[in-house]
Amino acid sequence: MTSAYPHKGSSAIQSPLVFAFIYRYYEVELQYVLTPCPLVLSPQIPQVSYASTAPELSDNTRYDFFSRVVPPDTYQAQAMVDIVKAMRWNYVSTVASEGNYGESGVDAFIQKSREDGGVCISQSVKIPREPKLGEFDKVIRRLSENPNARVVILFANEDDIRRILQAAKKANQTGHFIWVGSDSWGSKISPILNQEEMAEGAVTILPKRQSIRDHERIGKDSSYEQEGKVQFVVDAVYAMAHALHNMHKELCPGKVGLCSKMETINGTMLLKFIHNVNFTGIAGTPVIFNVNGDAPGRYEIYQYQMKHNTTEYKIIGHWADQLHLDEMRWPGGTWQVPQSICSQPCHPGERKKTVKGVPCCWHCERCDGYQYQADTYSCKMCRFDLRPNENHTACEAIPIVKLEWSSPWAVIPVLIAVLGIMATMFVVATFIRYNDTPIVKASGRELSYVLLTGIFLCYATTFLMISAPDVGICSLRRIFLGLGMSISYAALLTKTNRIYRIFEQGKMSVSAPRFISPASQLVITFSLISVQLLGVCIWFGVDPSQAIIDYEDQRTSNPDMSRGVLKCDISDLSLICLLGFSMLLMVTCTVYAIKTRGVPETFNEAKPIGFTMYTTCIVWLAFIPIFFGTSQSTEKMYIQTTTLTISVSLSASVSLGMLYMPKVYVVLFHPEQNVPKRKRSLKAVVTAATMSNKFPTKGGLRPNGEAKSELCESLETQG
């Protein structure tokens, strides 16, 4: 026997003693000691298997006296899981032949894939022991239900593998499936004979082994090929021999032959010595056992490759706790690894929405609106001052905008304001130049200058509204936006009220009403203006002015169009409140204008003021729906600012055009009409005015402007 099983470095075991011991004391039990597949396990008789790989045999609570020199399929399953993950396949199917080997192997693969994560099972098919006609066609149909799962894990016997490949060929699936076969396929030719193209690219696995040199031969010219398990048979015998030898050395030290302690073998003690052996096997690899009696997992990885019409099983890697792979060749001669995944990777800015129960399958959902991809599975909203970047993978600052001087929305209001200011300054200069002429005096010089000041401020407000907001600009807006209109309409209201009181008084008596002198009119006007200033001061005390960036004003549904608006902290409601008092003065002035509509044209400025107020009311009635109707527009800032400034400028232009331009025209181009009229007492003037109101036809016979000038001059003189 020593010549049949040579072993370097084990001279003690080469003695016939050990093998004689085995035969003598295990004559009956020998069938159990070295067994390819233990069908019945005798109690407390250690067994060493050279071929049994079923995972359940590792359970030492049930098979405590079983050991093996081949690795269990648990390691093989782990190696196959590592191959699948190395190829980045996450969606595979499994096929098992009914029975302990196939079902246990697939169960081990599924368990390992769940433990490691990242691999899901599409279909798990079992082939019956006695398959019916068409059974393999049914298997291929099931494997084809999900075309994304191209990889098939096979724990099947040779015949089942051959018939599966035949059915795949019949279904015209050549090149579609990528087979990953267990050691039952290994590097065998019989399963793929005459259907090599179906097996191209198949990855198979075998326990690491090699042929034994100087073994017995059937004949010199025989085509006999050594069975691959011979190495493990030899290692199994030597494992038992080493265990008995070590046991003999401990129980019978220095004694040749058996001693009394070994007359009866203790199976538990022998098992201990078997598990403790550690020697170099016949193939040069160490033979050791773990606590479960299993040998370590060492596998070689094969791939069935076709090149230049030749085929071969090529070793492309190995596995021993860790996987090592070389470059692989796939169907069609490509080096590109085929895909076997349930779902394509999501694009940047898309989150995965997994399919319930199948973590490898998902739907890709775009992070829309103001969301960005926070991680693989969730989208989050950007901060209020940020918006998502182009591919929604992060947030970026929202651009800040303000009304620019070069914008068409600013150019038109500025042009109107500049022309208005020039016209106002021209009127002021004309009035100052002809300050003591009758027409200028008759217009009420003090209130005229106040009114012109208000008109000037209305035009100047345009520049404040277009300037870039800061604390100073925002404060000036609060003060002057309503102040210019308040000054204008306070002066006009004072004038219309004066005319109304004069003619109402004239209907009852010829005595002049109170507070109609220029000084009184100024006091009344500034009292009205002070109400506006007081309201602004209270506003400053309650809520100091500041510039803000409004990110909601132009937060459009499309984030690319969103903008932050640099603006003053004046809301639409606050703006209306700011202009509210001016509008109240305007409405009151309009009411008085309506009440004095019966005054003859020739008396004072009732008619021009009336036309001014009617036109102004129309301007502001048009302003309100435009201003609030555009509150939801993306161009809100531009439309509202432009509308407001143009409305204020138009109001000032109406007052300037209707009240002052006719006077300037007379002063400059008809000086002959700018002459003093004869003086009469206030009593006579009021009486004449009243009578003229009662008899308008007679009043109309008087020279143009005579009564008007006379009345105003008389009232001014009385003041």
Side-chain angles (χ1 to χ4, degrees):
M1 291 187 67
T2 55
S3 61
Y5 298 94
H7 188 73
K8 295 181 180 179
S10 30
S11 57
I13 298 179
Q14 292 176 5
S15 168
L17 175 63
V18 171
F19 296 101
F21 178 88
I22 294 175
Y23 281 110
R24 179 178 177 184
Y25 291 95
Y26 283 85
E27 287 179 321
V28 178
E29 292 87 354
L30 187 61
Q31 58 179 319
Y32 304 114
V33 176
L34 301 175
T35 175
C37 182
L39 300 178
V40 179
L41 300 182
S42 298
Q44 296 190 352
I45 299 179
Q47 303 172 60
V48 180
S49 174
Y50 57 83
S52 298
T53 60
E56 59 265 31
L57 293 174
S58 298
D59 184 0
N60 56 16
T61 62
R62 296 175 60 194
Y63 309 106
D64 47 342
F65 284 86
F66 177 81
S67 303
R68 48 188 163 188
V69 291
V70 288
D73 287 338
T74 306
Y75 292 125
Q76 183 174 197
Q78 182 64 65
M80 296 171 83
V81 169
D82 290 348
I83 292 171
V84 167
K85 296 183 70 174
M87 297 295 102
R88 300 184 182 276
W89 297 325
N90 70 0
Y91 203 43
V92 301
S93 298
T94 63
V95 176
S97 292
E98 185 178 5
N100 182 267
Y101 172 78
E103 295 180 60
S104 298
V106 164
D107 289 344
F109 176 86
I110 294 175
Q111 181 181 351
K112 290 293 182 181
S113 65
R114 287 174 179 170
E115 291 174 358
D116 289 7
V119 179
C120 299
I121 307 301
S122 171
Q123 299 284 349
S124 191
V125 184
K126 182 170 67 173
I127 303 172
R129 291 185 186 274
E130 297 181 1
K132 298 178 182 178
L133 185 65
E135 186 70 38
F136 291 93
D137 295 333
K138 181 180 176 181
V139 170
I140 295 300
R141 283 196 300 271
R142 284 195 59 185
L143 296 178
S144 302
E145 286 180 5
N146 193 331
N148 289 338
R150 296 180 59 188
V151 171
V152 180
I153 307 298
L154 286 171
F155 275 88
N157 58 54
E158 293 182 38
D159 186 58
D160 286 346
I161 294 171
R162 178 178 56 80
R163 297 175 69 180
I164 287 173
L165 295 179
Q166 286 178 347
K169 184 176 182 180
K170 179 181 176 182
N172 196 26
Q173 294 290 337
T174 303
H176 174 72
F177 291 112
I178 304 297
W179 313 101
V180 178
S182 64
D183 58 354
S184 62
W185 183 338
S187 58
K188 297 174 183 176
I189 299 299
S190 58
I192 62 173
L193 191 62
N194 299 324
Q195 48 191 9
E196 289 81 1
E197 71 279 4
M198 292 303 304
E200 183 182 6
V203 178
T204 60
I205 190 170
L206 272 177
K208 186 175 179 61
R209 59 193 180 181
Q210 66 183 48
S211 297
I212 307 303
R213 294 184 179 182
D214 301 327
H215 203 310
E216 294 179 350
R217 295 283 187 267
I218 294 178
K220 182 178 180 182
D221 300 323
S222 173
S223 60
Y224 160 77
E225 183 178 346
Q226 188 181 108
E227 163 62 42
K229 293 185 175 64
V230 169
Q231 167 197 334
F232 300 114
V233 174
V234 174
D235 287 344
V237 171
Y238 271 97
M240 182 61 72
H242 274 278
L244 289 171
H245 179 71
N246 294 335
M247 186 177 180
H248 181 268
K249 286 199 321 184
E250 182 173 313
L251 296 180
C252 309
K255 183 174 178 61
V256 177
L258 296 176
C259 64
S260 59
K261 291 183 179 180
M262 291 188 68
E263 287 292 334
T264 301
I265 295 296
N266 185 323
T268 303
M269 181 180 293
L270 178 58
L271 179 67
K272 173 185 174 183
F273 282 99
I274 291 174
H275 285 181
N276 288 334
V277 299
N278 187 343
F279 64 94
T280 302
I282 196 69
T285 56
V287 177
I288 56 176
F289 300 95
N290 63 14
V291 293
N292 296 322
D294 294 330
R298 290 185 292 268
Y299 296 94
E300 288 182 327
I301 313 299
Y302 292 80
Q303 187 180 36
Y304 190 69
Q305 297 182 355
M306 298 182 67
K307 186 177 182 182
H308 305 306
N309 295 324
T310 60
T311 59
E312 65 172 337
Y313 284 102
K314 183 177 180 180
I315 296 178
I316 45 90
H318 64 276
W319 188 94
D321 291 332
Q322 289 186 340
L323 179 67
H324 301 274
L325 285 178
D326 299 327
E327 198 168 27
M328 305 168 75
R329 190 180 184 92
W330 302 100
T334 180
W335 301 103
Q336 181 68 35
V337 179
Q339 288 189 333
S340 184
I341 58 177
C342 182
S343 302
Q344 293 293 332
C346 293
H347 294 98
E350 295 179 341
R351 74 179 183 94
K352 291 181 179 178
K353 186 177 181 181
T354 56
V355 177
K356 187 175 181 180
V358 190
C360 303
C361 301
W362 57 81
H363 303 294
C364 295
E365 289 188 350
R366 177 80 174 168
C367 296
D368 56 2
Y370 287 83
Q371 295 180 331
Y372 71 99
Q373 183 183 359
D375 53 44
T376 304
Y377 298 98
S378 64
C379 298
K380 290 185 179 179
M381 292 291 293
C382 289
R383 205 173 60 199
F384 72 95
D385 58 339
L386 303 175
R387 67 179 182 182
N389 58 12
E390 185 177 0
N391 57 12
H392 288 254
T393 56
C395 295
E396 62 185 15
I398 294 178
I400 308 301
V401 298
K402 59 183 178 63
L403 187 57
E404 302 291 343
W405 291 98
S406 58
S407 169
W409 297 99
V411 170
I412 296 176
V414 167
L415 180 61
I416 295 174
V418 168
L419 295 176
I421 289 175
M422 293 173 62
T424 303
M425 298 306 296
F426 177 73
V427 172
V428 171
T430 302
F431 267 49
I432 293 175
R433 171 68 178 80
Y434 299 96
N435 188 59
D436 295 323
T437 60
I439 288 182
V440 175
K441 292 172 65 178
S443 65
R445 288 173 295 183
E446 293 78 5
L447 283 183
S448 290
Y449 289 126
V450 172
L451 178 56
L452 288 169
T453 301
I455 292 173
F456 174 82
L457 290 178
C458 286
Y459 287 124
T461 301
T462 297
F463 299 95
L464 292 176
M465 296 301 296
I466 295 176
S467 298
D470 56 30
V471 175
I473 293 295
C474 292
S475 300
L476 292 176
R477 284 187 187 180
R478 282 193 185 185
I479 296 171
F480 290 104
L481 181 58
L483 183 61
M485 295 178 62
S486 297
I487 293 174
S488 300
Y489 297 130
L492 287 175
L493 176 59
T494 303
K495 279 195 173 191
T496 54
N497 175 265
R498 181 190 189 202
I499 296 171
Y500 173 76
R501 289 189 293 115
I502 288 174
F503 283 93
E504 285 297 309
Q505 183 72 16
K507 294 177 182 179
M508 296 180 291
S509 68
V510 294
S511 60
R514 301 174 62 188
F515 308 119
I516 62 173
S517 66
S520 300
Q521 298 297 293
L522 289 176
V523 171
I524 294 172
T525 300
F526 285 115
S527 297
L528 294 173
I529 296 171
S530 65
V531 175
Q532 173 76 20
L533 292 175
L534 179 62
V536 171
C537 291
I538 294 174
W539 189 6
F540 273 118
V542 174
D543 182 19
S545 182
Q546 60 179 335
I548 62 172
I549 300 176
D550 187 352
Y551 291 98
E552 296 298 327
D553 187 61
Q554 291 194 34
R555 195 175 181 87
T556 60
S557 57
N558 181 3
D560 294 338
M561 302 300 295
S562 65
R563 299 290 185 271
V565 180
L566 180 61
K567 57 189 283 188
C568 295
D569 61 336
I570 302 177
S571 65
D572 294 348
L573 181 61
S574 300
L575 180 64
I576 294 302
C577 292
L578 182 63
L579 299 176
F581 183 67
S582 300
M583 292 183 177
L584 176 63
L585 293 178
M586 179 183 68
V587 172
T588 307
C589 186
T590 304
V591 171
Y592 275 112
I594 294 173
K595 287 185 176 184
T596 58
R597 67 186 182 279
V599 176
E601 286 185 22
T602 53
F603 290 106
N604 218 300
E605 297 176 303
K607 292 293 189 293
I609 291 176
F611 289 134
T612 298
M613 299 316 301
Y614 304 151
T615 306
T616 302
C617 286
I618 293 173
V619 170
W620 286 100
L621 285 175
F623 161 78
I624 292 176
I626 294 175
F627 186 85
F628 288 100
T630 58
S631 60
Q632 302 300 321
S633 171
T634 56
E635 304 292 334
K636 171 185 175 182
M637 175 187 67
Y638 305 105
I639 297 175
Q640 290 189 342
T641 302
T642 301
T643 303
L644 178 61
T645 53
I646 290 179
S647 297
V648 173
S649 295
L650 286 179
S651 300
S653 299
V654 169
S655 300
L656 186 66
M658 290 191 174
L659 297 178
Y660 292 102
M661 287 306 175
K663 295 182 177 64
V664 172
Y665 176 76
V666 172
V667 169
L668 296 180
F669 299 104
H670 293 282
E672 70 279 2
Q673 297 181 12
N674 190 11
V675 294
K677 308 299 180 182
R678 63 186 179 87
K679 301 291 185 178
R680 288 192 294 172
S681 66
L682 178 61
K683 178 179 179 180
V685 172
V686 172
T687 302
T690 304
M691 294 303 293
S692 175
N693 186 44
K694 292 179 180 179
F695 306 104
T697 54
K698 292 183 179 180
L701 297 175
R702 301 187 64 183
N704 183 33
E706 180 179 337
K708 176 181 177 182
S709 300
E710 182 180 343
L711 175 61
C712 293
E713 289 173 5
S714 299
L715 293 177
E716 187 177 281
T717 303
Q718 292 295 324

